[in-house]
Each structure stands twice: as structure tokens, then as C-alpha cells.
Amino acid sequence: MSGNQGSEAGRPRLIALDWGTSSLRGFLMGKDAGIIDQRASSHGIQNLPEPGIPGFEKAFAALCGPWLARWPDLPVVAGGMVGSAQGWVEAPYVPCPADVAELARHAGRVTTADGRTILIAPGVIDDPADAPPDVMRGEEIQIAGALADNPSLAERASIIMPGTHSKWVSIAASRITHFDTYMTGEVFAVMTTHSILGRLMTSPAEGTTADPAAADAAFCQGVLAARESRAGDLLNQLFSVRTLGLTKRLSGLVLRDYLSGLLIGQELTSGLARLKQSSATLPPIVLIGDDRLCSSYRRAMALFDITPAALLGNTAPSGLFRFAAATGMLQRA
Amino acid sequence: MSGNQGSEAGRPRLIALDWGTSSLRGFLMGKDAGIIDQRASSHGIQNLPEPGIPGFEKAFAALCGPWLARWPDLPVVAGGMVGSAQGWVEAPYVPCPADVAELARHAGRVTTADGRTILIAPGVIDDPADAPPDVMRGEEIQIAGALADNPSLAERASIIMPGTHSKWVSIAASRITHFDTYMTGEVFAVMTTHSILGRLMTSPAEGTTADPAAADAAFCQGVLAARESRAGDLLNQLFSVRTLGLTKRLSGLVLRDYLSGLLIGQELTSGLARLKQSSATLPPIVLIGDDRLCSSYRRAMALFDITPAALLGNTAPSGLFRFAAATGMLQRA
């Protein structure tokens, strides 16, 4: 639950909380966003020790108590679903274009029972005239971290954040100028778990492992089918997960990979077309997120002749540090 | 459970069973596919009174016993999932192009414990060289009925059968020449029930009813968004069900209608593009299925400037009669 990762970061300056739906992660941070210590708990906002405000108080005290006992005056920031309508306090979405200074200007603020103030990062809304609105909460903090740690991206980049709700985020001059959400991960999960498509999916027999080459071939088959698809075809292509299984052309062991390829391929088809439409030359494309998922996206992108400029891991701690700095609270500490 | 619908059909000639996953419907039929009586039970193949063959025997005896007591020598046919790998006996898919004579040539055959033979309709597989295979089971019987009852469609038509797995079926010279399945209904169901999209959906307060004009407007908004979409966009558009709800631009009462419009619109975008690609002039388009669902499809088609040539109800009894006739069993009766 704890691990010293950066003694060079010196004395603690900040407690940063990445507080999502299903987990709470805390970072004890020193100068230059160095991580001195970290702790995690399962107290996501939908899994608090008790309902409502007291639940947030208790989860916070349980995670950060050991740090605060030693450094009682450390400032605290939090980002993620903790700032949603179901969170500790709602920090309403700020509109695009938005940079970390804008996030700081619209920080939410909660005061604990013992008088401590915590600043909470707002989400971001993109609300173009010609399309439905889109929202993010948590990703804006990861982006702030990615741009601070990789200054070359700040001028112009497209950041893809694969996941339950993948985000495609356009960056210009350090600001989030536009973004699109794709429900790729959630559609994969519900179709696998709750639709007929899961019925033919199998797992390797006890003591054996999946064949990586067969899984990769099925994944690529899905990506290529999606790449050649036209508008509306996904609802038809999904059924091929069943028919390729029924006719034994794909083993039940790789139907998940094929479905994953179909869905990621659909996301890339749409996302890349939109990028190409919005500018003559593609911006550098960066992937942020879980290693394994980013690798799948990189594999799929190769089939579109696209190479990501970088794959970044968890940039949330760095982003929370930049957010705290932008609020001015680190000067006061 | 019983109702005399056609005394002009004269003496009974056939018992026809429409035996699906969740229900079993029996029809006592006279000449020219006239329905003399009908009975139904909940003994679909996944809801039998006991597992395996004895379950099929018992469900059959319970439904048809009263008829067979009076007319013990009536021939019996069945169609639908009863002929699947999980059915009473598997009647393997016959390849396209297929007409009712081809279905009859490949009928499955099961003999009950008391020596009665029941013929079971096979499904159909479309297996083009340049695309994944597609399968149907049950719809081929509805199509046989539709074509027999509406001879003008037999020369050339496109039959759309909305549902859990919508079918788009091309007909030429009384044969099924090609078809595509769209998982529209199932995606609607799982996204509504199991994804985040259902969270903001609400129902009218007790004692009040939904506003039909608002529901229609939301449905059409979804259809039009889908109509303007490009390849891969669905995974992004799905998220607008959430954001339009979050921002209160659509009431929770009509989010289901909007999602329905998005999905049906995606299906129509793809299906109509494929029809237009395959011939210079669109064939007559016929809808077969549940009244309410067919009305939604007709409404959506109007936004594509398409008018269906007909909306047909349940053509399965007629199709089972044509199937029985094609096997020759009615002559022997």
C-alpha cells in the first residue's frame, strides 16, 4: 500500500488524490511533482465506507491520516469523479478551450469537519454548435500532467485515452480545444457479458494458455473489417462475432480478441477520419492509459499506417500537482 | 388460449408449430393456410418443462394433445429455434439462394415416443466469399409465408424484419438470395439495461403518460444524427445519450426514444447504402414483424425518403403451411 519512489523530491509539499468511481489513490508529492509516497484504497465514490459526506470524510481520513499526522499543514487537491454531481462537492464542467489555469480558476472547494480545505478539479465540457455536447472528468487532469511532462506536445497534439469511455482530445497551445468520447470499452464489456456474443466465447483449459499469435490474428481481422466498414455497419459486424464462432472459423478462445479488434477499429476509423478532416496534416498522436490497452491501440493503429508519438502511463499525479500549482496553493504551503 | 378464426378453412389438415427460444405457438390449419384454431405456451426451447428430449415431448403433448385427441392423424411441422443445435433435432442451415422447396428438401425429422413424425424447417446461411457468414432460423419461414401471401414480392423485394437481430433479406425469383443481420434490438436492450446510458432514463410518474410528440422528436433527432454519421461514429454517438441527458437538453423520459432512433438510424444508413450499392433502383421494401416496431422503422425510413411497400404482421403460420406443402406431407394427409 506504500512505497517510497522519489527521495530526491525532498520534503512533502502536497497530497494529491485521484478519486474515481471504484478506487481512491493518494500521492504524497514533493517538488517538481515527485512522488514521495503513495497509498490506495477501494473507497471509490460508489464504494464509500458510509453514504454521503461522512463517507467521503472517513475515506479521506483513512487514506491520508498517516501523512497528515506527520505533516498536518500539507495542502490537498483531488480530481476525478469526486467532483461530479455524485461526488463530495460538485465542481461543474468548464467549457473548452480549457487549460490547467482555467481548471484552477474553477476549482471546487470542500472543507472537512476538522477545518481542512480540499480543492477539487472541475471536469471539462465541449459544446460545439453543430454536435451534441461531450464531457470529461478526470482526463483533464491526466492531460495537464502529460503536457507538463512532455512540453513538445503542448503546441499541438491529439491525445487518445483508451478505456471504458475512450477520449480523443485535441490540444493546441496547451489547451484542450475539442474532444470526442467513444464508448468502446463499455460496449465491449456489456456485449461480452450480457449479449448473445458472449455465449460462444471460451477460456483456455486449466493449465493451458491462450495462443498469442491466434489472438493477434483475430484482433487484426476485427480491426481490418472495421477499417473497411461504412457508416452504420457496426450493428451488422457485431453479429459476425457469433457467425464466425458458429461456423468454427474462429475459435471461441479468440472471439473476445476479434470483438475487441472490431470495436477499436471502429473507434479508430471514426477518430482518424475526424482528425484528417480537421487539418491537412495529422498532429502527433499520444496514447495515455493502461499499458496493455495502449499496446492494443498501437497494434490497431499500425493497420491504419499510424504510429503514435508516445505511450504514456499514469499522468494523473503530475496533473494534480500542476493543478495545485495553478491554484497558487503550493506557494502558500 | 384458443380461438376459432376461420371456419371457411374447413377440416384441419396440419398442425404448425412456431417454436422459438421463449415461446411455443401452435396453429391448427385448414386449406389455403387458413387458421382454424391456435394455442400457445411458454415452453420455448429455453423454458421446457424438463431438460432434453423428454421436455420437447411433454411441451408438444401439452400444446397439441387436445387437437391430436380429435384428429390423431394430422401431420405436424415446426420451425424456429426448435431446429437449432439446442433444439429437438438440429436441422442444419441450407445455403443461399434458398426457396421453400429447398427448405423442404432439407427438413429435419424427429419421431416422438408414440411414433409420430414431425418435420422441422432448417435455417438458412448466407456465406459470401468477401464477408463473414450470416445465419437465420425462423425468419425463412416467415419469408415463405410473406411471399406466398403477396406474390408481387416474389419477383424482387427487400424484406426487413426488425427485432433483437434485425434481418435485411434480398428476394429474387422467390428465393432468399442474400441477407444481413443487424443486432439493433439486442444492442438497444443491453445498453439500456446494463450500460451507463440507462442511468439517466426515467419513466413517467405514476398516473401520467409519456408525451408522444416529445418522444417522436427525440426518436427523429436520433435517426437524423445517425443518418449524417460516418463510418465508426456509433461508438461516439452512443455517448450523446448520456451528455444530452446530463445537460438536460433531452428529458430522461425520452432518452430511450433517442437511443432507439440512433440505432435504427444506423441500421437504415447501412442497410439502405448496401441496397443502393447492389442495384440501380431500390426494390420494394417490406417490413415484417411486431406492429409497434414496424411503425418505428417506417417513421425512421420516412427521414430517408423511403416508403415501405407494405407492413406485414405474423406470416409464420402461412410459411409453415407452405413448408409443409413443399414437403409433400399435405397430399398424404
Side-chain angles (χ1 to χ4, degrees), chain A residues 171-220:
Chain A
I171 302 297
S174 296
R175 302 193 304 178
I176 297 170
T177 55
H178 171 69
F179 61 93
D180 291 312
T181 300
Y182 291 83
M183 292 187 72
T184 312
E186 187 163 10
V187 170
F188 177 79
V190 298
M191 295 305 287
T192 299
T193 310
H194 298 291
S195 88
I196 199 174
L197 300 186
R199 299 245 189 100
L200 299 174
M201 294 176 178
T202 54
S203 297
E206 185 110 8
T208 68
T209 55
D211 173 0
D216 180 64
F219 177 79
C220 291

Side-chain angles (χ1 to χ4, degrees), chain A residues 127 133-134 181-183 186 194-196 229-233 235-236 239 243 249 263 266 270 274 277, chain B residues 127 133-134 181-183 186 191 194-196 229-233 235-236 239 243 249 263 266 270 274 277:
Chain A
D127 196 3
D134 208 331
T181 300
Y182 291 83
M183 292 187 72
E186 187 163 10
H194 298 291
S195 88
I196 199 174
S229 70
R230 300 192 309 175
D233 283 357
L235 293 171
N236 168 244
F239 198 62
T243 59
R249 298 187 198 174
L263 293 172
Q266 289 275 343
S270 171
R274 292 180 185 193
Q277 187 183 33
Chain B
D127 197 3
D134 208 331
T181 300
Y182 291 83
M183 292 186 72
E186 187 164 8
M191 294 306 287
H194 298 291
S195 87
I196 199 173
S229 70
R230 300 193 308 175
D233 284 357
L235 293 171
N236 168 245
F239 198 61
T243 59
R249 298 189 195 172
L263 293 172
Q266 289 274 344
S270 171
R274 291 180 185 191
Q277 187 183 32

